Amino acid sequence: MPPENPHTAPAGRQPRHDGWLTLRRFIPYLWPRDNPALRWRIVVSSLLVLISTGVQLALPYSFKWAVDGMNVQGPRAGQLVMICVLAYAAGRFVGVVFDNVRNIVFERVGQDATRKLAEHVFARLHRLSMRFHLARRTGEVTKVIERGTKSIDTMLYFMLFNIAPTVLQLVGVAIIFGISFGKGLVLSTALAVVAYIWVTRAITDWRTHLREKMNRLDGQALARAVDSLLNYETVKYFGAEAREEARYAQATGAYADAAVKSENSLGLLNIAQSLVTNLLMAGALAETVVGWWHGTYTAGQLVFVQMYLTQLFRPLDMLGMVYRTIRQGLTDMAEMFRLIDTEVEVADVPGAPALVVRRAAVAFDNVVFGYEPDRTILHGLSFEVPAGSRVAIVGPSGAGKSTIGRLLFRFYDPASGRILIDGQDIRLVTQASLRAALGIVPQDSVLFNDTIGYNIAYGREGASPAEVLAAAQGAAITDLLARLPQGLDTEVGERGLKLSGGEKQRVAIARTLVKNPPILLFDEATSALDTRTEQDILGTLRAVATDRTTISIAHRLSTIVDSDTILVIDQGRLAEQGSHADLLRHDGLYAEMWLRQAAESSEDAMAEAAQ
């Protein structure tokens, strides 16, 4: 397997992204140039924030006037108090209306931004190289996408509808306090707010490290769970249930310890925040009481100060959570951007044309390749597959046979040399057109957890029911479909586990028939099957290969004796080539492999007869 490189390392070991850089990268999703309607929604939401903040700043005045009016005798005073009280209630209602209308207007913006970023990440994952996908852990990658997308909407809400109104309220309260009470209360409030922000940021930064550790351990626990469940049969084979439970318990236990530390730190943060806010409240109210004692302030001004500070404290009390949410949201988004930033190892050259297949001839020209720089797999491999011919590739384990298939599909690029189809270097054409010309029946045909019909039609987008049925007939699975009550609508289960090995292979063959490519690759397509099923599948493969260029990578030599040419690969080099008869007469590596497999087959037959 290719090694893990810096681009595929788990997210927990990556350097942290700068928060502002992450935010700047997200802005295009929030402010799309190609969607004026969404930008208007943001503008309207911002105006509603301004109106709602103005209403909130006006409310304490009406309550102050009501309290002061209650100390005045006369019918007009009573009317004034009633008007002020009703205005206060109406203002609270209007504020709620504006806030909720703002949320309604903005909801589409947040959802669209989340959707586009998630789609971008998903598309990027499908464009990453085979090296990345062999090294990744599915559970961890899934968790990164899940946390990133879930955090976006909440983070946006807090940034636009909590922090922005809080800043506006701070400015408004400072102006009002300066006019009504002088600079002393303004400076005290400003000092308390600065102290509050400093305490919140210091403790929250510490908590962020704990949270990142929690995320890493959570992803590790999920990865172990997914890995274990995907390999359910292997766990059962080796009676390793207790071992898997212990590994999972170790991961969840470490996560629980980190979660306890994180929650305990939250209690410390709440205590520190409460100390700062209540000291400010006590000082401001005490100063107002002293002014009232000396006749400088009225009773209404005590309520006035209390209401403004309460309004100010309400968003400030949430500042810790808001700051944590935004920091965590930026962290989770940064993890998603790391996936986007992962280097695309195999990319189309700018302006690459589509592959044009006329005769479907394949050639390897002095190809050198290795998964690691210090471990070369193919050493200047050269061979040709004439158009319309049937060529088999054989060799000992580790000779590089499967690597040839991966290079042909351009999952990797060779270090040097060329791979040609009809004389066109596959590195210079688009990957989409290259893979459209190639079909494969792999050794382990993995199917989607859907119906047989869906898996067959997956070979080509837009395949009609008639084409799906024709492909099923060509792959000789009509007898299977006739035995199934739901026919093509039969569910195959996860990875196709509800079907036998031969049935899965036939579905894979039908899927390739729907694709109808001019070049076919059979990558040890029958090595995992019993002898009878293998012979049935081989008959189907021979029928499918008619009038196509086929390359068969085989372990069992008996399956490729009728090939036009057999290429014998040894240690990444072409050791021999020729027909089956020619290679046996040559008495080289192929003949040695043939005699060994024949002897093994004879021993197996004798053992079966003895039983």
Side-chain angles (χ1 to χ4, degrees), residues 579-598:
S579 67
H580 171 70
D582 291 339
L583 292 173
L584 288 181
R585 285 194 295 269
H586 184 264
D587 197 22
L589 177 59
Y590 181 83
E592 178 187 340
M593 293 170 60
W594 176 264
L595 292 175
R596 185 183 300 115
Q597 290 191 12

Side-chain angles (χ1 to χ4, degrees), residues 141-187:
V141 173
T142 303
K143 200 69 175 180
V144 167
I145 298 174
E146 178 188 356
R147 282 197 300 258
T149 53
K150 283 185 175 180
S151 68
I152 292 171
D153 197 43
T154 304
M155 188 186 71
L156 285 176
Y157 177 85
F158 282 134
M159 289 181 64
L160 298 175
F161 305 141
N162 186 280
I163 291 183
T166 300
V167 172
L168 291 175
Q169 284 204 34
L170 281 172
V171 174
V173 169
I175 294 173
I176 292 169
F177 277 4
I179 295 173
S180 303
F181 302 99
K183 296 180 181 179
L185 187 55
V186 175
L187 292 175

Side-chain angles (χ1 to χ4, degrees), residues 42-58:
I42 296 175
V43 172
V44 172
S45 299
S46 301
L47 291 175
L48 290 172
V49 168
L50 291 174
I51 296 172
S52 177
T53 303
V55 171
Q56 295 298 320
L57 289 174

Side-chain angles (χ1 to χ4, degrees), residues 491-513:
E491 297 281 342
V492 303
E494 187 170 5
R495 295 183 296 150
L497 293 178
K498 291 184 179 180
L499 302 180
S500 69
E503 291 167 348
K504 288 170 59 178
Q505 289 298 75
R506 291 191 186 279
V507 172
I509 294 170
R511 182 165 58 189
T512 301
L513 284 176

Side-chain angles (χ1 to χ4, degrees), residues 112-330:
D112 269 36
T114 301
R115 175 182 59 82
K116 288 181 179 179
L117 182 55
E119 290 174 357
H120 190 182
V121 175
F122 184 76
R124 183 68 170 188
L125 286 174
H126 276 289
R127 284 168 175 76
L128 293 179
S129 66
M130 175 71 79
R131 193 185 306 275
F132 172 86
H133 287 281
L134 289 177
R136 68 175 167 83
R137 289 182 178 271
T138 304
E140 289 184 0
V141 173
T142 303
K143 200 69 175 180
V144 167
I145 298 174
E146 178 188 356
R147 282 197 300 258
T149 53
K150 283 185 175 180
S151 68
I152 292 171
D153 197 43
T154 304
M155 188 186 71
L156 285 176
Y157 177 85
F158 282 134
M159 289 181 64
L160 298 175
F161 305 141
N162 186 280
I163 291 183
T166 300
V167 172
L168 291 175
Q169 284 204 34
L170 281 172
V171 174
V173 169
I175 294 173
I176 292 169
F177 277 4
I179 295 173
S180 303
F181 302 99
K183 296 180 181 179
L185 187 55
V186 175
L187 292 175
S188 298
T189 303
L191 181 62
V193 170
V194 171
Y196 187 96
I197 294 174
W198 181 85
V199 167
T200 299
R201 179 174 181 179
I203 298 179
T204 302
D205 283 343
W206 170 50
R207 296 194 72 240
T208 298
H209 292 294
L210 297 177
R211 184 73 182 183
E212 288 174 351
K213 183 178 180 181
M214 282 177 58
N215 285 348
R216 186 169 64 252
L217 293 172
D218 188 25
Q220 184 184 78
L222 180 64
R224 289 185 179 180
V226 170
D227 197 32
S228 180
L229 293 175
L230 287 177
N231 293 282
Y232 168 83
E233 294 176 70
T234 304
V235 174
K236 289 293 185 183
Y237 291 150
F238 293 93
E241 292 91 343
R243 199 185 320 163
E244 290 299 316
E245 291 167 9
R247 290 181 73 241
Y248 183 67
Q250 186 273 330
T252 55
Y255 171 78
D257 291 340
V260 168
K261 291 181 181 178
S262 179
E263 291 303 314
N264 290 344
S265 65
L266 176 60
L268 177 61
L269 175 62
N270 291 336
I271 292 172
Q273 289 175 332
S274 180
L275 176 64
V276 174
T277 56
N278 283 286
L279 284 176
L280 173 60
M281 178 69 80
L285 293 180
E287 181 180 345
T288 307
V289 170
V290 170
W292 169 79
W293 182 265
H294 290 92
T296 307
Y297 301 143
T298 65
Q301 286 176 300
L302 180 67
V303 177
F304 187 69
V305 171
Q306 189 273 339
M307 287 191 67
Y308 270 120
L309 291 180
T310 300
Q311 283 187 190
L312 192 59
F313 290 162
R314 191 176 299 117
L316 282 179
D317 282 341
M318 297 179 62
L319 183 61
M321 183 185 71
V322 171
Y323 182 67
R324 286 194 307 274
T325 301
I326 292 176
R327 281 293 303 271
Q328 186 58 44
L330 290 173

